[in-house]
Amino acid sequence: MTQGFSHVDDAGRPQMVDITRKDVTLRTATARCRIELPPETLARLRDADFRVGKGPVIDTAIIAATQAVKRTHELIPFCHALPIERCRVIIECTSDSALEIECEVSARARTGVEMEALTGAAVAALTVYDMCKSLGHAMTIGGLRVLAKRGGTRDFDEAQT
């Protein structure tokens, strides 16, 4: 390993982390991001029960997030394919101009599920953008972060930092 980077071998070449010696444990992670929309756009969505010409925005974003969680290893080069056992996606209006997206993922595995939770939250936000762009492009996606993780060598909880 070169200078503490786990995805680089001694010769400086990229590599997948060897997890064969790790124990299988329950791993969970929760990620969150936010999509900001103009207040008038969000008001139009609310008035339409979050349906647009392409279909139900929230339901479609939840399905997209779930698909993304299960396919994270196909998108991020050194992620391991994991046996996802739980994926919960919650999308809520938190103001007159924002939706908060939270994605919680669980698996019994040798490595964590943070990347899966992050990918799920991000793809849900991208799906909302895609479905709502006919109402205007003045949307921003941000604040993508891991809120908490459990299992493995160390736990993390943003609320405790």
Side-chain angles (χ1 to χ4, degrees):
M1 189 163 59
T2 303
Q3 296 185 4
F5 292 110
S6 60
H7 288 79
V8 179
D9 69 14
D10 291 336
R13 292 185 195 93
Q15 69 175 359
M16 181 180 255
V17 172
D18 180 359
I19 59 171
T20 55
R21 290 184 173 81
K22 289 184 169 187
D23 292 331
V24 172
T25 61
L26 178 62
R27 313 293 181 117
T28 63
T30 304
R32 180 180 292 158
C33 73
R34 176 179 180 96
I35 181 163
E36 304 236 2
L37 307 93
E40 58 277 3
T41 301
L42 193 50
R44 286 177 64 191
L45 281 172
R46 282 184 177 149
D47 290 346
D49 198 27
F50 288 90
R51 297 184 71 79
V52 295
K54 288 185 174 185
V57 174
I58 303 298
D59 293 343
T60 304
I62 290 170
I63 293 166
T66 303
Q67 287 180 315
V69 164
K70 295 189 291 183
R71 299 182 80 161
T72 298
H73 69 283
E74 295 175 15
L75 301 170
I76 310 296
F78 295 126
C79 283
H80 295 81
L82 298 177
I84 303 301
E85 297 177 26
R86 180 170 183 260
C87 178
R88 181 181 64 93
V89 180
I90 298 171
I91 302 173
E92 297 178 322
C93 284
T94 56
S95 73
D96 66 347
S97 64
L99 296 173
E100 291 276 340
I101 300 165
E102 191 169 289
C103 182
E104 183 180 342
V105 178
S106 297
R108 284 180 185 81
R110 297 178 191 276
T111 190
V113 291
E114 300 98 298
M115 293 307 302
E116 287 73 12
L118 288 164
T119 301
V123 168
L126 290 169
T127 301
V128 170
Y129 185 100
D130 177 57
M131 295 190 75
C132 295
K133 67 187 178 195
S134 64
L135 303 175
H137 288 85
M139 296 176 275
T140 59
I141 297 169
L144 181 63
R145 65 195 184 280
V146 173
L147 296 178
K149 78 167 222 60
R150 299 277 177 271
T153 55
R154 59 187 170 265
D155 293 341
F156 168 79
D157 192 330
E158 182 182 84
Q160 295 175 355
T161 57

